[in-house]
C-alpha cells in the first residue's frame, strides 16, 4: 500500500516539514511512503472560467496533473497543514481550487482510483485547537469532493518552528500507530 504525505506549507524545512518527516518514517513500516511539498510544484491560480464543469479538463497546463498522479498512486493521503491566518496556506488553497476537474459536484468529472483514505494534521502557533479544527474541516471538505474517505486527524497547537516539534513526537507517533492499526 502507498501513502502520500503532503507538506501543505511553502516552507520546505520548517515545522510542517519536520512533522511530515516523522509521519513518513513511522508509516514506512506499513506503507511505501512518498513525501511532497506544495512548493515543489509550479501551477497557476484557477481563473474561475468553469470550462472544466463541462469538459472535466483544465484549460491551464502545468504541474497539477503531476500532483494528482501522486494522489492516484496513494491508498492513504496525509495532508499536514500549518495555520496561515487561521486557514490553510494560500499555495495549498490554490492547488485545491485547481482540483475542480476532479470534483464530484459536476458531471463530467475526473475520478481518482476508488477506496482512498485521507488523514489531516493541522498545526499552529496559538493555543486554541478550534483554529486547527477549521483547517481540518477545509481539507476534509476537499477530500469529500474527491471521494477520499476522511480517516482521522490530529491538531497540534503551540508549534511555531521546527524545534517545537520534537517534544510532540510521541503524539505524532501515536496518531501514526492508530492509522496503521486500523487501516484496511
Ligand atoms: C503567513 C503566516 C501566517 C500565520 N498565521 C497564523 C495564525 O493565524 N494562527 C497561528 O496560530 N499561527 C499562525 N502562523 C504560525 C504557523 O502556523 C506556525 O509557525 C507553523 O509552525 C508554521 O509552519 P511552517 O514553518 O512549516 O510553515 C502563521 C505563520 C505564517 C508564516
Amino acid at each position: 500500500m502507498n501513502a502520500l504525505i503532503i507538506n501543505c506549507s511553502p516552507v520546505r524545512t520548517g515545522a510542517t516539514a519536520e512533522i511530515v518527516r516523522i509521519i513518513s518514517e513511522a508509516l514506512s513500516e506499513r506503507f511505501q511512503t512518498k513525501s511532497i511539498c506544495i512548493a515543489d510544484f509550479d501551477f497557476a491560480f484557477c481563473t474561475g472560467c468553469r470550462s472544466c464543469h463541462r469538459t472535466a479538463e483544465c484549460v491551464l497546463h502545468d504541474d497539477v496533473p503531476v500532483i494528482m498522479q501522486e494522489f492516484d498512486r496513494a491508498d492513504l493521503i496525509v495532508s499536514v497543514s500549518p495555520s496561515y491566518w487561521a486557514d490553510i496556506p494560500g499555495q495549498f488553497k490554490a492547488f485545491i481550487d485547481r482540483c475542480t476537474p476532479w470534483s464530484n459536484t459536476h458531471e463530467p468529472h475526473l475520478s481518482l482510483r476508488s477506496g482512498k483514505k485521507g488523514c489531516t494534521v493541522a498545526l499552529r502557533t496559538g493555543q486554541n485547537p478550534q483554529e486547527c479544527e477549521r483547517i481540518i474541516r477545509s481539507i476534509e471538505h476537499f477530500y469529500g469532493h474527491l471521494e477520499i474517505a476522511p480517516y482521522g486527524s490530529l491538531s497540534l497547537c503551540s508549534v511555531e518552528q521546527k524545534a517545537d516539534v520534537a517534544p510532540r513526537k510521541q503524539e505524532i507517533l501515536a496518531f501514526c500507530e492508530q492509522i496503521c492499526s486500523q487501516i484496511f
Side-chain angles (χ1 to χ4, degrees), residues 9 11 14-17 82-86 123-126 131 159-161:
S9 163
V11 183
T16 313
S83 172
Y84 278 17
W85 285 87
L123 59 139
R124 65 171 298 214
T125 299
E131 194 171 297
V159 176
E160 165 117 50
Q161 50 200 355

Side-chain angles (χ1 to χ4, degrees), residues 45-113:
F45 288 124
C46 172
T47 62
C49 76
R50 292 176 168 76
S51 163
C52 65
H53 289 198
R54 287 177 284 104
T55 63
E57 267 180 47
C58 187
V59 295
L60 304 170
H61 298 286
D62 50 28
D63 284 351
V64 170
V66 179
I67 305 174
M68 293 314 274
Q69 263 177 17
E70 299 294 353
F71 269 64
D72 210 31
R73 279 193 204 107
D75 303 290
L76 172 73
I77 292 152
V78 185
S79 300
V80 187
S81 176
S83 172
Y84 278 17
W85 285 87
D87 217 319
I88 57 177
Q91 289 85 346
F92 196 63
K93 178 61 166 70
F95 162 67
I96 290 178
D97 289 346
R98 287 288 309 284
C99 288
T100 307
W102 284 266
S103 172
N104 65 3
T105 44
H106 52 266
E107 291 293 349
H109 64 83
L110 300 174
S111 294
L112 296 171
R113 198 164 46 80

Side-chain angles (χ1 to χ4, degrees), residues 6-10 16 20 36-38 79-82 89 91-92 139:
I6 307 168
N7 179 353
C8 305
S9 163
T16 313
V20 164
I36 59 172
C37 176
I38 198 66
S79 300
V80 187
S81 176
Q91 289 85 346
F92 196 63
I139 294 176

